[in-house]
């Protein structure tokens, strides 16, 4: 679709909306003296029709219906003595009219709360009464009266009175004093104490494991937040299509008076076979075959077998995820792979093993720590800082890596954020042995932020900054795959993979000891599910421990996003702004989710 065609479609849609708005008429005109807000409410309550009335009989019918709607709205807003009159004007083109005199607005008097036996304890009663939050002389809106009753019941529920319910209320409207006095009758029920968890669905999940996730002990007072937390813990495992967690009915109290929580689980398919393909002008193409096993050990575990053939990274591997391993929110991840990497900077054939523990903090943030082991053969074209000449390494290395990371997420959506920020940090102390020996620390941090520029986040300004540094190792002895590189879809768009930074005479990218990257995007909703994006990226590789701001390279471009329920599909085209010999004219990137 060309930009001209897209503009035509947007213009046509706008004209259609204007045309439909032009043909919509109010069911009846509202006349009378009143404030603008009340008039707007009455207009909305009366509603609209597509066509004007065809005769006076139809106009009269509309006026009467509109008058009934207006009276209901006025009473709900505290106007209990309105004067309304339906009328029709005109013969050939009749118009339905409702004349409104709202009258004096009634106000609330202090509400009364009556407890039906048994009454809650004194502390819970005080907290519930505080939630009424209806003040004397407040406008007598029906919605405020009903909402106050709901807050009382909710306050009792939060304090363990799970069976609390409202009985028929009594509202006295005093037409002489212009007051409304609500009287609530609340049944709190007995204080509920919890027992264990009862798993009611048949499946591979071990009931004892589900019970271990409960954030309460036997005999503790019921708290709906605890029930919601158990549901979150089960959902975040990713192996269930549906999770239900609810308090058992009152008649299912146990002999000790406690009540169990009932859990129902809908399992995802036990075995899922997936095939996928990727393509990027920067990183080439790849084919993936993934076989996923769910709940093999009966504790919401996930085993993933992967075979990947790609231009850059080919591998055979398996990974195991054990959620809530020793405590709730803690996930153990084990992985093993035989891999072959063929990049412009190096070639590596290796065995890779890793074990990591991740602890969730809140709903989306986490800390992680673990260890990695790599043993393999490296074929590297490197730059010798002493002789200032290229040098080739063909060496066998064993690498032991400590891994620590943290992720703090204060954004509103994992795949399509429009507000908030995220902060990530990594630290990897590394020891290398074999044909070379060295010890170094690799650190990295990234922050992203999202600022909506319009109501409804129709336009969003997004930014990203990334810094990295290697401390304690010499450039020549550090394995190539541990150096910093920049360029590609996840860093500086417009350059090929590892394309930012100096190159050797044979065009091999020279990795560095430090890294700096920055990105700015403007994301704008343009039509239905489509979003247009314009961006500028910058990045540099440095050869000292501190980032080098003097050799920044820039890329810019634009893209389109098509928003699906699970997140946007992204397509970008980017151009290097300071193109060197060997750089392509542009790069194309297609993936799921925003660039950052």
């Amino acid at each position: 679709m060309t930009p001209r065609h897209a503009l035509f479609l947007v213009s046509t849609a706008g004209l259609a909306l204007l045309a439909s708005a032009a043909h919509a008429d109010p069911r009846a005109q509202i006349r009378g003296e009143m404030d603008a807000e009340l008039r707007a409410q009455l207009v909305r309550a009366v509603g609209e029709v597509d066509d004007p009335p065809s005769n006076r009989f139809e106009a009269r019918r509309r006026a009467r219906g509109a008058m009934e709607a207006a009276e209901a709205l006025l009473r709900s807003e505290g106007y209990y003595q309105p004067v309304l009159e339906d009328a029709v004007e005109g013969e050939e083109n009749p118009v339905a009219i409702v004349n409104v005199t709202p009258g004096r607005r009634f106000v609330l008097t202090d509400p009364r709360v009556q407890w039906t036996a048994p009454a809650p304890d004194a502390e819970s009663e005080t907290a519930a009464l505080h939630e009424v939050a209806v003040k004397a002389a407040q406008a007598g809106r029906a919605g405020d009266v009903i909402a106050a009753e709901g807050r009382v019941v909710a306050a009792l529920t939060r304090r363990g009175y799970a069976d609390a319910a409202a009985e028929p209320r009594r509202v006295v409207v005093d037409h002489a004093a212009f007051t409304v006095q609500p009287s609530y009758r609340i049944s709190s029920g007995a204080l509920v104490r919890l027992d264990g968890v009862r798993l009611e669905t048949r499946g591979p999940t071990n009931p004892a494991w589900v019970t271990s996730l409960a954030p309460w002990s036997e005999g503790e007072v019921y708290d709906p937040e605890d029930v919601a937390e158990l549901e979150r813990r089960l959902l975040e495992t990713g192996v269930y299509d549906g999770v239900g967690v609810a308090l058992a009915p009152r008649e299912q109290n146990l002999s000790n008076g406690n009540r169990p929580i009932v859990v129902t689980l809908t399992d995802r398919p036990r075995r899922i076979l997936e095939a996928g393909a990727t393509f990027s002008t920067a990183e080439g193409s790849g084919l993936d075959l993934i076989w996923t096993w769910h709940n093999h050990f009966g504790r919401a575990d996930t085993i993933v077998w992967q075979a990947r053939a790609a231009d850059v990274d080919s591998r055979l591997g398996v990974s195991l995820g054990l959620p809530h391993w020793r405590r709730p929110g803690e996930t153990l991840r084990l992985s093993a792979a035989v891999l072959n990497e063929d990049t412009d900077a190096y070639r590596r054939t290796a065995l890779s093993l890793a074990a990591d523990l991740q602890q969730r903090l809140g709903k989306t943030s986490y800390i992680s720590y673990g260890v990695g082991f790599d043993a393999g053969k490296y074929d590297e074209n490197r730059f010798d800082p002493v002789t200032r000449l290229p040098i080739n390494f063909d060496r066998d290395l064993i690498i032991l890596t400590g891994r620590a990371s943290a992720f703090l997420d204060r954004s509103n959506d994992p795949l399509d954020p429009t507000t908030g920020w995220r902060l990530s940090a990594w630290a990897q102390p590394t020891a290398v042995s074999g044909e070379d020996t060295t010890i170094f620390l690799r650190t990295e941090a990234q922050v992203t932020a999202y600022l909506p520029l319009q109501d409804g986040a129709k336009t969003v300004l997004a930014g990203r900054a990334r810094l990295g540094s290697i401390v304690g190792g010499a450039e020549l002895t550090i394995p190539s795959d541990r150096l910093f590189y920049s360029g590609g879809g996840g860093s500086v768009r417009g350059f090929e993979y590892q394309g930012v930074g100096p190159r050797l005479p044979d065009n091999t990218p020279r990795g560095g000891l430090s890294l700096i990257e920055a990105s700015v995007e403007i994301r704008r909703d343009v039509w239905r599910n489509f979003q247009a994006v314009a961006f500028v990226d910058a990045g540099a590789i440095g050869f000292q421990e501190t980032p080098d701001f003097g050799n920044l390279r820039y890329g810019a471009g634009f893209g389109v996003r098509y928003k699906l329920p699970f997140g946007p599909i992204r397509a970008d085209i980017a151009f290097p702004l300071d193109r060197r010999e060997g750089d392509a004219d542009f790069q194309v990137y297609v993936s799921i989710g925003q660039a950052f």
Side-chain angles (χ1 to χ4, degrees), residues 213 229 233 236 322-333 356-370 403-409:
L213 299 183
E229 175 62 19
R233 290 175 181 179
E236 72 181 13
L322 296 171
H324 310 301
W325 184 50
R326 295 179 305 180
R327 64 173 70 93
E330 182 183 68
T331 300
L332 172 65
R333 289 189 172 89
D356 294 279
L357 278 174
Q358 178 179 295
Q359 178 66 53
R360 175 170 60 87
L361 305 174
K363 294 182 180 180
T364 56
S365 303
Y366 64 82
I367 57 173
S368 177
Y369 55 93
R403 298 138 65 105
S405 64
F407 177 65
L408 187 60
D409 187 357

Side-chain angles (χ1 to χ4, degrees), residues 193-476:
R193 296 187 181 275
L194 295 178
D195 195 74
V197 173
R198 190 172 71 217
L199 182 60
E200 288 200 339
T201 48
R202 293 185 178 181
T205 302
N206 186 339
W209 177 76
V210 176
T211 299
S212 71
L213 299 183
W216 64 82
S217 302
E218 182 178 347
E220 283 190 16
V221 173
Y222 166 80
D223 185 342
E225 277 301 312
D226 286 342
V227 176
E229 175 62 19
L230 176 58
E231 184 175 30
R232 279 193 294 268
R233 290 175 181 179
L234 290 167
L235 280 170
E236 72 181 13
T237 64
V239 306
Y240 303 112
D241 278 335
V243 174
V245 182
L247 184 67
R250 186 185 316 182
E251 57 271 17
Q252 294 184 13
N253 277 5
L254 303 178
S255 57
N256 59 4
N258 295 346
R259 199 181 303 180
I261 294 294
V262 178
V263 174
T264 56
L265 302 173
T266 302
D267 293 283
R268 295 184 65 185
R270 297 288 304 281
R271 303 286 186 268
I272 299 177
L273 184 62
E274 301 171 281
T278 59
F279 171 76
S280 167
T281 56
E283 300 175 29
S285 57
L287 295 174
D288 284 279
L289 190 64
I290 299 174
W291 193 19
T292 303
W293 296 2
H294 288 135
N295 226 349
H296 182 71
F297 300 113
R299 38 130 40 252
D301 51 277
T302 300
I303 303 174
V304 178
W305 306 85
Q306 180 186 26
R308 176 174 172 81
D311 293 336
V312 172
D313 180 0
S314 300
R315 63 180 58 213
L316 289 172
V318 60
S319 64
L320 169 64
L322 296 171
H324 310 301
W325 184 50
R326 295 179 305 180
R327 64 173 70 93
E330 182 183 68
T331 300
L332 172 65
R333 289 189 172 89
L334 306 173
S335 64
V338 177
L339 55 90
N340 181 71
E341 292 180 313
D342 188 356
T343 74
D344 290 342
Y346 62 88
R347 289 179 295 278
R348 177 172 78 119
T349 302
L351 168 68
S352 179
L353 306 174
D356 294 279
L357 278 174
Q358 178 179 295
Q359 178 66 53
R360 175 170 60 87
L361 305 174
K363 294 182 180 180
T364 56
S365 303
Y366 64 82
I367 57 173
S368 177
Y369 55 93
V371 63
F373 173 84
D374 294 81
K377 185 177 185 63
Y378 285 74
D379 183 3
E380 309 163 273
N381 290 328
R382 303 293 293 273
F383 179 79
D384 189 338
V386 177
T387 65
R388 314 294 294 178
L389 295 173
I391 185 173
N392 178 263
F393 284 158
D394 189 355
R395 53 183 178 170
D396 296 322
L397 298 177
I398 296 174
I399 305 174
L400 184 65
T401 306
R403 298 138 65 105
S405 64
F407 177 65
L408 187 60
D409 187 357
R410 293 295 182 265
S411 67
N412 62 331
D413 189 279
L415 287 177
D416 189 20
T418 58
T419 185
W421 53 272
R422 299 170 180 167
L423 176 64
S424 306
W426 300 266
Q428 297 179 343
T430 303
V432 180
S433 66
E435 296 185 28
D436 271 307
T437 301
T438 188
I439 296 176
F440 59 91
L441 174 64
R442 191 180 195 270
T443 60
E444 190 176 342
Q446 176 171 285
V447 61
T448 60
Y450 314 93
L451 177 66
L453 301 181
Q454 287 180 306
D455 291 341
K458 292 185 178 296
T459 302
V460 175
L461 175 65
R464 177 183 73 94
R466 179 184 174 201
L467 292 172
S469 176
I470 296 176
V471 180
E475 176 189 340
L476 196 60

Side-chain angles (χ1 to χ4, degrees), residues 489-557:
S491 57
V492 183
R493 288 163 287 185
F495 297 90
E496 65 182 0
Y497 180 62
Q498 299 178 336
V500 172
R503 291 176 173 268
L504 304 184
D506 63 355
N507 214 35
T508 297
R510 178 186 172 187
L513 298 178
S514 60
L515 165 76
I516 180 173
E517 289 178 354
S519 300
V520 176
E521 279 195 356
I522 290 288
R523 304 168 183 171
R524 168 70 179 176
D525 293 341
V526 291
W527 184 60
R528 292 187 178 178
N529 291 339
F530 285 94
Q531 184 182 69
V533 174
F535 57 85
V536 176
D537 296 340
I541 297 297
F543 307 104
Q544 304 296 325
E545 295 175 353
T546 56
D548 185 354
F549 293 84
N551 60 350
L552 284 168
R553 305 198 65 202
Y554 300 90

